[in-house]
Amino acid sequence: MELNAASPGGKRLENKDEEKVQDLDTGEAETKAEMGNKTWADLAGEMKTFLWNPEERTCLGRTAKSWGLILLFYFVFYTCLAGMFAFCMYVMLLTLSPYTPTYRDHVAPPGVMIRPYLNGFTIAFNVSERSTWQPYVDSMHHFLAAYDDKVQEEKNIECISGQYFIQGGNESEEKKACQFKRSLLQNCSGIADQTFGYSRGQPCILLKMNRIIGYRPGAGVPVSVDCKVQKGNESDLGSVDFYPGNGTFDLMYYPYYGKITHVNYTSPLVAMHFTDVKRNSLVPIQCSLHGKGIVNDVNSDRFLGRIIFTLSIGK
């Protein structure tokens, strides 16, 4: 049965709906009125009561007991988390050796680097302008300070040339290091010629192999170095003198045992003396290692077993 608006029942339903809407509107109006009547002092008082209610003795709505229980819970919870983290770290550290890396992402063949190394791999200067080559000279002296003869004699020992210096004992025992005196570099030592040839347009450049723990380069035969023009005319390079000897890394400086136990170890060097490079021209040079187990032909890695740099010597 349907009720239309004209019937008594229909009228009663409409009146009830209107009364409900009026009651809601009245309630909202009263709430707005009450909020509108509050002053800033009233709001500040309510906030003060919320922060500390002296009647109920609550702070931020919690009693002292409630605060104590929740703080105790979080203290125990975070203490357990910290304990679990510390235990995991302790177990992990037990599996690691401070002397030898457990996992090595470095390839077995060594990379190489040169000194001086200031602004990339272009060494450019004018012989007649001291300011252009003095920074290279200062860098060389700074680098070779650890190789001074007196320093090496005080800290390191003389070793037998031509054979690996293998040291036994516990891996935690401090290892001895062989002397590498800067005087071995002869014309590139910076002793007789303190400008390393830069003042005459005949610069010295030092080459060193990167350190690899336990590595024995050359498989019993010293690793040698040679240099050539990377691209261009070979005559642009002229002659190159190598020190010490014929430009080899003596076996007695290997193996390397790590910085913790091999404290005074100084990497052996090969000095390359460029005595006749073409002037006023960019000469790209590649210096490479040669020996058993050496890799120097990987195009994607310009430092693996070789180094490429540019010499530009002006008048």
Side-chain angles (χ1 to χ4, degrees), residues 11-307:
K11 291 182 179 180
R12 285 197 297 269
L13 289 174
E14 288 182 358
N15 292 336
K16 288 181 179 180
D17 291 338
E18 291 177 358
E19 289 176 359
K20 287 181 180 179
V21 172
Q22 290 176 358
D23 291 341
L24 289 173
D25 293 340
T26 302
E28 290 178 0
E30 291 177 354
T31 303
K32 291 180 179 179
E34 290 177 0
M35 293 181 65
N37 292 333
K38 288 183 180 179
T39 63
W40 285 106
D42 295 334
L43 294 174
E46 291 180 358
M47 179 60 70
K48 183 178 179 181
T49 303
F50 174 70
L51 294 175
W52 171 247
N53 189 330
E55 296 179 359
E56 299 180 359
R57 303 189 65 81
T58 59
C59 177
L60 300 178
R62 291 182 177 274
T63 62
K65 181 180 180 181
S66 177
W67 276 114
L69 289 175
I70 195 170
L71 291 176
L72 177 63
F73 167 77
Y74 280 113
F75 175 76
V76 174
F77 176 70
Y78 285 113
T79 300
C80 291
L81 284 181
M84 291 174 62
F85 176 77
F87 177 75
C88 291
M89 290 295 294
Y90 173 73
V91 172
M92 184 189 70
L93 291 174
L94 287 178
T95 65
L96 302 177
S97 170
Y99 309 106
T100 305
T102 304
Y103 303 102
R104 307 185 192 186
D105 58 355
H106 196 295
V107 293
V112 294
M113 192 58 186
I114 59 171
R115 293 292 187 277
Y117 177 73
L118 295 180
N119 302 309
F121 294 96
T122 298
I123 298 176
F125 62 93
N126 295 322
V127 176
S128 60
E129 299 178 23
R130 185 185 185 93
S131 61
T132 61
W133 50 260
Q134 188 63 47
Y136 297 114
V137 173
D138 295 339
S139 176
M140 293 279 279
H141 278 296
H142 178 73
F143 177 73
L144 288 174
Y147 292 85
D148 285 344
D149 289 18
K150 290 184 178 180
V151 173
Q152 289 293 312
E153 290 171 359
E154 291 175 0
K155 294 184 176 181
N156 298 330
I157 64 172
E158 293 185 3
C159 301
I160 301 174
S161 179
Q163 65 182 42
Y164 295 121
F165 184 31
I166 299 174
Q167 304 178 59
N170 192 290
E171 66 176 358
S172 62
E173 294 179 5
E174 184 173 328
K175 309 300 181 184
K176 298 178 180 179
C178 298
Q179 296 177 4
F180 189 98
K181 301 178 180 178
R182 68 186 296 176
S183 58
L184 294 173
L185 301 177
Q186 300 178 37
N187 293 340
C188 289
S189 65
I191 299 174
D193 179 7
Q194 294 191 354
T195 68
F196 299 95
Y198 284 82
S199 62
R200 295 177 283 107
Q202 298 178 341
C204 289
I205 296 177
L206 305 178
L207 183 76
K208 75 180 190 74
M209 282 195 282
N210 294 341
R211 300 177 183 181
I212 302 176
I213 296 176
Y215 181 63
R216 303 180 191 181
V221 180
V223 173
S224 61
V225 180
D226 74 354
C227 296
K228 62 182 181 180
V229 174
Q230 186 197 21
K231 292 180 181 179
N233 195 333
E234 282 294 334
S235 63
D236 293 348
L237 180 60
S239 61
V240 183
D241 296 329
F242 296 92
Y243 309 105
N246 56 352
T248 59
F249 292 93
D250 200 298
L251 299 180
M252 66 181 177
Y253 299 106
Y254 304 96
Y256 170 61
Y257 289 95
K259 65 180 181 180
I260 296 180
T261 56
H262 227 156
V263 180
N264 296 321
Y265 181 84
T266 43
S267 299
L269 306 171
V270 167
M272 304 168 296
H273 194 189
F274 299 92
T275 58
D276 194 24
V277 177
K278 184 179 179 180
R279 301 292 179 91
N280 300 316
S281 180
L282 289 174
V283 182
I285 300 171
Q286 175 176 298
C287 294
S288 306
L289 303 180
H290 296 279
K292 189 173 182 180
I294 297 296
V295 178
N296 58 18
D297 56 357
V298 178
N299 294 329
S300 60
D301 191 342
R302 60 180 294 181
F303 304 106
L304 183 60
R306 63 174 179 170
I307 189 77

